[in-house]
């Protein structure tokens, strides 16, 4: 099994919709900056609480069959057929569906699953398709609930990151791309003014407004490490099925995820994003998490879960023993990251000099090179802020070995990613610095894999674990009485 491209996802989704015309619909929710379609695949609710008629809000006998007499719906929109489509075919808004600007009426509740928000994390699209097929085989989670899958939130970025079947970390980084924060669909609202948001973000925000999901799940991945879940609100009981799935599939649980340093943890590998003003809210983040699209679902009393799964596993991130000297380790890791970043920065400076000295077009006139170099510069600029946090007064005096291992991996991947993206530009233009940077990237990949005992997790296993976790999160929300409707 390979990681599918955005184009392959669209073709597979179209085939699924054609095979199940009464239950599955595919529509375009928006258009990327480069003009690519942003597809949403929907699997209709079956009869259950909150539905209209024997087919539910999106099945036979529901609003898909005919417009409501009060004019608040119609038989048109494939993400939620109660919402009429716009003339450009991109679907209707919640306000258009309601007609009165108030809450939607008589619809099933919805779950929104977002894949491909980070270009370098391609497993999400495969998980989305797998989940849609699973819901057709076993419709129990569809009782009174429509399921909607944003197949690739950033198709332009996904086209720049090419790793259908990486065999090693070096394979993965040969064609690596991860856009800078302001160009990432989920993070852009925390970094840009509203009038500067990219179309991918606007499409996602509009979809959340339209569906008002009780649960939004964002599918993410890490290159090397373990699996963990971040939550905008606690989902009681999720730790048990999550941990069981990870154990059965031999995926380590990341108990000290660097992304969630200091956050409340109701169970192994489960982290709840802290509320403003709490001590844990001071954990390092270059963006304000609460301004991201993850929190947009809170407008409708929804919850967001971010499900991370590793491509390569390492048992080091699952070690709960106390580290003997966390501050000393963090100082060492900060020093190494600073030195590594300086090597990449020196190579980046050589490209500036070459651009000034040679006639003809420079790399910034090539859209692919320009995107890669923006990402390189963003990553390098981020590193001093991170190392300052690691060595500052707030550095922990107590920490587990798993946490230090997670920080170690995080630092390695930052400098490695910057170097790998810069190498793509240098190779393409035959820059004399390319061979040296190639040796550096190769060595860093080998050291990373050796230090962490990297073990490949088959794509099918990554997909299975994410799928189980998504279904468990919804099941636990239902059990907690938090999936009964939309505000």
């Amino acid at each position: 099994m390979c990681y599918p491209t955005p184009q392959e996802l669209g073709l597979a989704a179209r085939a699924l919709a054609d095979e199940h015309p009464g239950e599955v619909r595919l529509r375009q929710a928006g258009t990327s900056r480069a003009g690519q379609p942003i597809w949403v695949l929907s699997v209709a609710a079956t009869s259950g609480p909150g539905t209209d008629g024997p087919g539910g809000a999106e099945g036979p006998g529901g609003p898909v069959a005919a417009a409501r007499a009060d004019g608040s719906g119609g038989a048109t929109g494939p993400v939620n057929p109660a919402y009429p489509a716009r003339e450009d075919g991109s679907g209707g808004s919640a306000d258009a569906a309601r007609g009165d600007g108030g809450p939607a009426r008589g619809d099933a509740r919805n779950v929104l699953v977002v894949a491909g928000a980070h270009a370098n994390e391609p497993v999400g699209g495969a998980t989305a398709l797998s989940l849609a097929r699973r819901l057709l085989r076993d419709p129990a989670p569809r009782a009174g609930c429509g399921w909607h899958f944003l197949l690739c939130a950033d198709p332009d970025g996904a086209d720049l990151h090419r790793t259908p079947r990486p065999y090693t970390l070096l394979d993965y980084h040969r064609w690596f791309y991860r856009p800078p924060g302001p160009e990432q669909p989920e993070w852009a609202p925390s970094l840009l003014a509203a009038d500067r948001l990219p179309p991918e973000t606007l499409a996602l925000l509009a979809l959340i407004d339209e569906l008002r999901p009780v649960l939004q799940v964002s599918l993410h991945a890490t290159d090397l490490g373990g699996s963990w879940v971040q939550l905008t609100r606690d989902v009681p009981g999720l730790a048990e099925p999550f941990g069981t799935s990870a154990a059965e599939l031999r995926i380590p649980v990341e108990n000290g995820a660097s992304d969630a340093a200091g956050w409340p943890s109701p169970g192994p590998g489960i982290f709840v994003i802290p509320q403003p003003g709490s001590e844990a809210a001071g954990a390092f983040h270059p963006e304000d998490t609460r301004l991201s699209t993850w929190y947009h679902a809170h407008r409708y009393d929804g919850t967001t879960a971010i499900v991370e799964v590793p491509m390569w596993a390492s048992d080091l991130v699952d070690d709960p023993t106390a580290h003997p000297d966390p501050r000393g380790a963090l100082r060492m890791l900060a020093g190494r990251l600073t030195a590594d970043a300086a090597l990449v920065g020196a190579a980046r400076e050589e490209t500036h000099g070459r651009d000034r000295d040679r006639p003809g077009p420079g790399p910034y006139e090539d859209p692919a090179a320009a995107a890669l170099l923006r990402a390189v510069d963003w990553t390098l600029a981020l590193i001093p802020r991170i190392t300052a946090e690691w060595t500052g007064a707030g550095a922990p005096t107590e920490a587990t070995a798993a946490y230090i291992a997670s920080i170690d991996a995080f630092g390695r991947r930052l400098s490695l990613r910057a170097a790998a993206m810069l190498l793509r530009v240098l190779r393409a233009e035959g820059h004399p610095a390319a061979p040296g940077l190639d040796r550096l990237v190769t060595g860093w990949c080998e050291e990373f894999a050796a230090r962490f005992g990297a073990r490949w997790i088959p794509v099918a296993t990554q997909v299975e674990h994410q799928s189980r976790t998504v279904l468990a999160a919804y099941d636990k929300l239902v059990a907690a009485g938090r999936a009964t409707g939309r505000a």
Side-chain angles (χ1 to χ4, degrees), residues 279 340 435 454 469:
E279 275 189 36
D340 290 348
T469 303

Side-chain angles (χ1 to χ4, degrees), residues 81-371:
Y83 300 154
R86 294 190 284 265
E87 291 181 2
D88 64 2
S90 60
S93 69
D95 288 344
R98 294 189 301 264
D100 60 357
R105 297 184 294 273
D107 296 328
R109 58 183 176 260
N110 292 304
V111 170
L112 173 61
V113 178
V114 179
H118 284 154
N120 62 303
E121 301 171 4
V123 69
T127 299
L129 285 175
S130 179
L131 267 171
R133 295 185 181 111
R134 184 178 298 210
L135 290 166
L136 291 167
R137 293 193 305 269
D138 178 11
R142 294 163 51 199
C145 183
W147 287 72
H148 310 273
F149 303 92
L150 186 64
L151 297 177
C152 184
D154 182 11
D156 299 347
D159 277 350
L160 276 177
H161 178 85
R162 307 171 201 163
T163 54
R165 185 182 291 172
Y167 291 98
T168 65
L169 274 175
L170 182 59
D171 282 343
Y172 173 70
H173 285 93
R174 280 296 183 201
W175 296 97
F176 183 90
Y177 174 68
R178 182 184 177 102
E183 298 176 33
Q184 296 174 15
E186 292 181 326
W187 285 115
S190 69
L191 296 163
L192 297 175
D195 60 354
R196 295 178 57 208
L197 294 177
E200 297 87 351
T201 297
L202 295 176
L204 176 53
L205 292 173
L207 196 56
I208 295 170
D209 288 336
E210 183 176 325
L211 297 174
R212 303 181 173 199
V214 294
L215 175 66
Q216 177 184 211
V217 183
S218 186
L219 302 175
H220 286 256
T222 185
D223 45 17
L224 196 160
S227 181
W228 72 98
V229 179
Q230 299 174 66
L231 300 168
T232 58
R233 293 188 174 108
D234 188 22
V235 178
L238 180 58
E240 190 277 327
F242 167 77
T244 298
S245 173
E248 290 177 354
L249 298 173
R250 296 189 62 233
I251 298 174
V253 170
E254 191 139 348
N255 287 312
S258 59
D259 283 5
W263 292 3
S265 179
I270 307 295
F271 302 93
V272 181
I273 299 174
Q275 296 300 310
S278 68
E279 275 189 36
F284 174 77
H285 261 276
E287 309 90 358
D288 186 342
T289 307
R290 287 169 292 273
L291 294 177
S292 72
T293 59
W294 298 347
Y295 272 79
H296 200 69
H298 282 214
R299 296 186 178 198
Y300 311 108
D301 203 28
T303 298
T304 297
I306 301 91
V307 182
E308 301 266 5
V309 65
M311 301 172 71
W312 283 270
S314 172
D315 293 330
L316 296 183
V317 301
D318 196 12
D319 183 354
T321 60
H323 191 280
D325 182 16
R327 286 194 164 184
L330 288 172
R331 283 194 301 271
M332 182 275 292
L333 295 175
R336 186 190 67 200
L337 177 55
T338 299
D340 290 348
L343 294 174
V344 183
R348 177 71 178 99
E349 281 302 312
E350 288 192 38
T351 67
H352 286 307
R354 184 174 172 87
D355 293 344
R356 288 190 296 267
D357 296 340
R358 70 177 186 177
Y364 279 102
E365 295 177 46
D366 175 356

